[in-house]
Amino acid sequence: MKLADIVGYRLDMARCAALRSLHRLLDDTTFRPADTTALLLIKERPGCDQTMLGRALAGNRSVGMKVATRLEARGLLTRGEGRNRRSKGLYIMPEGETVLAELLDCHDEAEARIAAALAPGEREQLLTLLGKIEQAVLDEEAGLTGSTAAQTAIQEAGVPEPT
């Protein structure tokens, strides 16, 4: 087997290349790709908590807490009523909406650069295939834990189901 034949390796290399491209577009800003993820998740799911945010960032609650704290300090989000008395919900502020729109413009440009290498219809096909890979791993994790905790985590994070 060659390194180029290992799906996980190729996925990681593609992810790194996409992030490098996005970082170049964000160089003139003080924002990171995780900021877009956080603001978009909070906009799509008002009241989500730091645990859900951490999962969406492929981390845990402490990752979500660090990003939320940083964005809250900049006036982009606020903490408010959560799903229970022990958690605080995260809510996007008007300034956060403005910043998110600017960040999404950068992401759109990065997406266009990536998609430029694909033939018509291949972007949708790639997203479908990536969803299948993600689902296979979720199924494996669910089997390891004896529960559907991994699937629930992804659903809570708002990751679309593979088709």
Side-chain angles (χ1 to χ4, degrees):
M1 178 180 293
K2 296 180 192 175
L3 193 55
D5 295 333
I6 299 173
V7 172
Y9 174 78
R10 297 296 299 269
L11 286 171
D12 196 40
M13 292 297 98
R15 181 188 65 84
C16 289
L19 279 174
R20 285 194 310 273
S21 178
L22 182 56
H23 277 285
R24 284 191 294 276
L25 292 169
L26 294 175
D27 264 352
D28 293 337
T29 75
T30 58
F31 294 100
R32 306 170 189 159
D35 298 334
T36 308
T37 302
L39 290 170
L40 192 53
L41 174 72
I42 294 164
K43 179 181 178 176
E44 291 176 354
R45 295 178 175 258
C48 68
D49 62 17
Q50 294 172 160
T51 301
M52 185 184 295
L53 177 57
R55 288 178 183 148
L57 295 168
N60 56 26
R61 183 181 181 280
S62 69
V63 171
M65 181 182 70
K66 288 176 186 173
V67 173
T69 298
R70 184 166 38 80
L71 295 175
E72 182 180 37
R74 296 178 78 166
L76 305 179
L77 66 85
T78 188
R79 289 178 169 94
E81 186 176 321
R83 59 185 154 82
N84 58 44
R85 288 189 284 176
R86 292 182 47 204
S87 70
K88 292 282 187 184
L90 302 172
Y91 300 89
I92 194 166
M93 301 292 291
E95 179 65 19
E97 295 266 5
T98 301
V99 167
L100 177 59
E102 294 166 7
L103 292 173
L104 288 174
D105 286 344
C106 289
H107 280 262
D108 285 346
E109 187 174 339
E111 286 283 308
R113 290 177 180 182
I114 293 168
L118 302 174
E122 285 184 335
R123 180 182 184 279
E124 292 74 22
Q125 182 182 16
L126 176 60
L127 290 173
T128 298
L129 294 171
L130 290 171
K132 287 181 178 185
I133 291 170
E134 185 177 10
Q135 187 62 53
V137 172
L138 289 172
D139 292 347
E140 175 199 7
E141 290 171 345
L144 292 173
T145 63
S147 72
T148 59
Q151 179 66 36
T152 301
I154 292 297
Q155 288 172 344
E156 286 177 356
V159 176
E161 298 260 342
T163 53

